[in-house]
Amino acid sequence: MSRASRKLEHMKLALEIGQSDTHDFQNVHFVHQALPEVSFDETSINSTIGELHLGSPIIINAMTGGAHETTKINEQLAIVARDTGVALAVGSQMSAIKNKEFIPSYQVVRKINPDGVIFANIGAEADIEQAKIAVEMIEANALQIHLNVIQELIMPEGDRDFRGTIERLQAINDAIDVPIIVKEVGFGISRETAKTLKEIGITIIDVGGKGGTSFARIENERRIKPLSLFDDWGISTAASILEVSKYENIEIIATGGIKDSLNIAKAIALGAKAIGLAGVVLNKLVTNGLDDTIEYIEEINQELRLIMTGLGVSNIMDLQRVPMVILRDLKDWCELRGID
Ligand code: FNR
């Protein structure tokens, strides 16, 4: 199967299967503060990731490009990002790096949103030259490099040899002059992986945790004989934020099953500075259309400010320090992993 038709199939299956909601945010609770001493008008949801300034912590995360049919989706995602002022990542650009006819399906996002914050995206198999092409193709403000070992293992035609990845990540990080974001695609980043990434100079990690779109389920739908052993594999999004937040010099983007303002606020309170939404935005766009998707993001931004007002904080940095309680499975996970 060609890369282009695989991309279309991923999109179709992501929409069909939906998201699992096993992100663990149901085990995270804010502690209500009855004397907040903050005015809604004072609240600001500006955030930063590395040197990038974000008008909202929301990032529409990497999904598509690389097939002619995906140009329209990327165009619409770029309109949503432009009109709501959120950052946008394109899907893996490898197909356009290998086949120039697909370049417009990615470049459309820069055309629509010339001043927006846009992330390029490649897999960890890419070399320095390919990383440079991806960034230049869309004049990206940052480069995401995705790690998707489990997805590859489930695909009969997937990679089986993952040696050399750390060295390649380091080489790309040293050679590229925009910020590098290393991201998972739904199985989470552990403390050990974060330590390795930190040692090679990576400072931004998108934990891409378990709990939303599941590439184990998507790839299994594509197999003649499903390989269900990875269906429940991975670190939940909430647990993964806590795993990685141990490292002071790492900035965290949280992705994986996040769909509403409350879970965005919880992810920030656990340690994230920005939040990736993927499957939910695709679903809204395809099911409800452009205007509803724009409204959905605008509502989340407003609700986030209501939550901050209720908690008595006026900015994202202070939201990262509010008191909270962690219960049940997530508490067990933290205890067993020695996370305070
Ligand atoms: C993705 N995702 C993804 N990630 C990546 O780094 N490169 C890619 O090309 C893709 N492609 C892709 C296609 C589709 C259809 C979906 C739904 C997702 C993964 C995505 O960025 C995100 O990490 C996961 O989907 C988890 O977030 P959600 O969907 O639970 O919000």
Side-chain angles (χ1 to χ4, degrees):
M1 171 179 274
S2 75
R3 212 180 267 264
S5 37
R6 191 165 73 215
K7 286 191 167 290
L8 291 175
E9 213 180 356
H10 280 162
M11 211 153 66
K12 193 175 128 264
L13 289 170
L15 288 166
E16 250 171 57
I17 295 170
Q19 298 184 291
S20 70
D21 287 335
T22 52
H23 41 59
D24 258 343
F25 289 112
Q26 62 279 15
N27 291 326
V28 178
H29 297 268
F30 286 119
V31 181
H32 172 62
Q33 305 298 334
L35 287 171
E37 288 287 325
V38 160
S39 151
F40 176 86
D41 290 340
E42 276 174 11
T43 56
S44 158
I45 55 169
N46 291 342
S47 192
T48 55
I49 280 290
E51 65 202 38
L52 303 174
H53 291 270
L54 308 176
S56 156
I58 296 174
I59 296 165
I60 300 177
N61 220 339
M63 281 184 283
T64 202
H68 297 301
E69 295 86 336
T70 61
T71 310
K72 184 79 187 161
I73 302 265
N74 267 347
E75 181 183 88
Q76 294 196 325
L77 290 174
I79 295 172
V80 175
R82 183 195 63 198
D83 290 4
T84 58
V86 304
L88 168 70
V90 296
S92 173
Q93 288 162 266
M94 203 45 109
S95 48
I97 291 168
K98 299 216 160 134
N99 185 345
K100 286 193 169 62
E101 73 174 289
F102 295 128
I103 291 178
S105 70
Y106 297 96
Q107 279 180 337
V108 68
V109 301
R110 186 48 90 192
K111 212 167 103 194
I112 298 280
N113 192 7
D115 304 319
V117 175
I118 297 180
F119 301 158
N121 186 289
I122 49 171
E125 74 283 4
D127 59 27
I128 295 176
E129 199 45 41
Q130 292 169 327
K132 283 187 177 157
I133 296 171
V135 170
E136 280 161 20
M137 190 186 298
I138 56 169
E139 296 164 52
N141 304 92
L143 171 67
Q144 293 184 326
I145 307 179
H146 64 260
L147 309 177
N148 65 341
V149 170
I150 300 298
Q151 184 186 4
E152 294 289 343
L153 291 178
I154 300 174
M155 285 196 281
E157 74 275 25
D159 281 353
R160 293 290 181 268
D161 182 354
F162 301 100
R163 291 174 296 180
T165 307
I166 299 170
E167 208 176 313
R168 276 195 305 280
L169 289 175
Q170 183 164 22
I172 293 176
N173 192 41
D174 292 345
I176 299 286
D177 51 13
V178 294
I180 302 290
I181 301 164
V182 174
K183 83 183 276 279
E184 241 293 348
V185 299
F187 300 92
I189 297 278
S190 67
R191 181 202 296 170
E192 294 79 8
T193 301
K195 181 168 183 281
T196 304
L197 292 172
K198 184 175 143 70
E199 282 165 2
I200 59 167
I202 302 292
T203 55
I204 310 171
I205 295 178
D206 180 336
V207 298
K210 182 182 77 170
T213 302
S214 163
F215 273 91
R217 293 198 55 201
I218 290 176
E219 293 302 346
N220 266 330
E221 288 290 326
R222 299 178 58 238
R223 280 180 70 109
I224 297 165
K225 201 166 160 219
L227 193 67
S228 58
L229 67 130
F230 291 122
D231 276 2
D232 194 36
W233 191 276
I235 307 168
S236 75
T237 305
S240 192
I241 299 169
L242 290 165
E243 291 264 335
V244 180
S245 65
K246 174 183 161 74
Y247 299 107
E248 269 173 19
N249 300 329
I250 297 279
E251 295 190 297
I252 299 174
I253 300 174
T255 305
I258 302 180
K259 290 187 263 192
D260 58 38
S261 54
L262 191 55
N263 285 346
I264 289 179
K266 287 179 182 179
I268 293 170
L270 290 180
K273 288 186 92 179
I275 308 296
L277 310 179
V280 66
V281 177
L282 183 66
N283 199 298
K284 283 264 182 261
L285 192 61
V286 172
T287 316
N288 299 357
L290 192 56
D291 290 347
D292 271 21
T293 311
I294 290 172
E295 198 180 307
Y296 162 72
I297 304 250
E298 279 170 348
E299 272 172 16
I300 296 185
N301 280 339
Q302 284 301 303
E303 286 172 15
L304 198 51
R305 294 178 63 198
L306 290 176
I307 294 168
M308 289 163 68
T309 311
L311 289 169
V313 295
S314 58
N315 59 57
I316 296 292
M317 252 167 66
D318 288 347
L319 181 56
Q320 288 185 305
R321 298 194 198 105
V322 298
M324 45 205 323
V325 172
I326 292 173
L327 300 175
R328 295 181 287 270
D329 295 356
L330 186 57
K331 182 171 172 248
D332 291 349
W333 179 282
C334 291
E335 274 172 16
L336 293 167
R337 293 280 290 161
I339 298 167
D340 345 293

